[in-house]
Amino acid sequence: MVLGGTVDVPDFPKPGIVFKDLMPLFADGAAFRRVVDGIVEHYGPGGFDVVAGVEARGFVVAAAVAYATGAGVVPVRKAGKLPRKALAATYELEYGEATLEVHEDAFIAGQRVLVVDDVLATGGTAGAALDLVERAGGTVIGFTVLMELGFLKGRERLSPRTVHALLTV
Ligand code: AMP
């Protein structure tokens, strides 16, 4: 799929990183609908019960996919944002580390969960999010991103889990 409306921002958030800004795509109604429809078509409208979105851009896509299919939506949040008891997963960033959290009662045991984020880079974020969903009782049926940065080998890091990407660059 061609993802029109994405913009490369050099040296953001730090020198040497090319940030893939998908906000212009989200702002384009027809393009955003194609993205949501592409995800729904891939997994089938009855293929999952809940969509888990990774903070923050994953929330945008997760909510739309959930609404389009009648599924629920659960946020996977950065540390310290959730009001009730939460499970945490810490992972390595290029410099330092980060933590994601999900409410411990976010899922009914066995609920089928599709996990969504905007960009797959090294796979650290995705690995933590998928781990959290399963620890919270969900059954991960898939992980999907709008854009995969193939050269960073996130897909290999997540193996044997499968990754669906609308676009790989
Ligand atoms: P990673 O854990 O390395 O796979 O990084 C993926 C997470 O960081 C996702 O939540 C992305 O939103 C964000 N991210 C990492 N690299 C980029 C990039 N080059 N452009 C846009 N977002 C990125």
Side-chain angles (χ1 to χ4, degrees):
M1 175 184 278
V2 177
L3 288 185
T6 68
V7 178
D8 284 0
V9 185
D11 298 321
F12 184 87
K14 54 187 84 158
I17 304 285
V18 178
F19 189 83
K20 301 289 186 182
D21 182 13
L22 305 192
M23 295 303 171
L25 184 152
F26 291 171
D28 177 339
F32 186 58
R33 176 164 280 183
R34 279 200 301 279
V35 162
V36 173
D37 288 349
I39 293 170
V40 173
E41 276 163 28
H42 182 78
Y43 289 100
F48 45 87
D49 307 306
V50 176
V51 187
V54 181
E55 187 165 356
R57 292 176 296 275
F59 293 173
V60 176
V61 182
V65 171
Y67 183 79
T69 57
V73 61
V74 165
V76 178
R77 299 218 61 178
K78 291 174 179 163
K81 305 281 188 183
L82 290 170
R84 294 182 292 103
K85 201 165 176 201
L87 302 171
T90 297
Y91 59 99
E92 298 286 317
L93 292 176
E94 204 173 347
Y95 300 101
E97 54 184 34
T99 299
L100 289 177
E101 295 183 343
V102 72
H103 275 139
E104 65 175 4
D105 62 356
F107 307 103
I108 298 166
Q111 261 184 330
R112 299 167 303 160
V113 183
L114 173 63
V115 183
V116 177
D117 203 357
D118 63 336
V119 172
L120 173 65
T122 65
T125 306
L130 296 168
D131 174 51
L132 278 176
V133 168
E134 296 211 318
R135 282 168 52 208
T139 299
V140 173
I141 63 93
F143 173 67
T144 187
V145 289
L146 277 51
M147 184 182 288
E148 171 189 14
L149 307 182
F151 60 96
L152 291 175
K153 313 268 185 226
R155 185 183 289 269
E156 289 167 26
R157 178 170 176 178
L158 294 171
S159 175
R161 297 184 186 278
T162 56
V163 174
H164 171 242
L166 291 172
L167 179 70
T168 300
V169 296

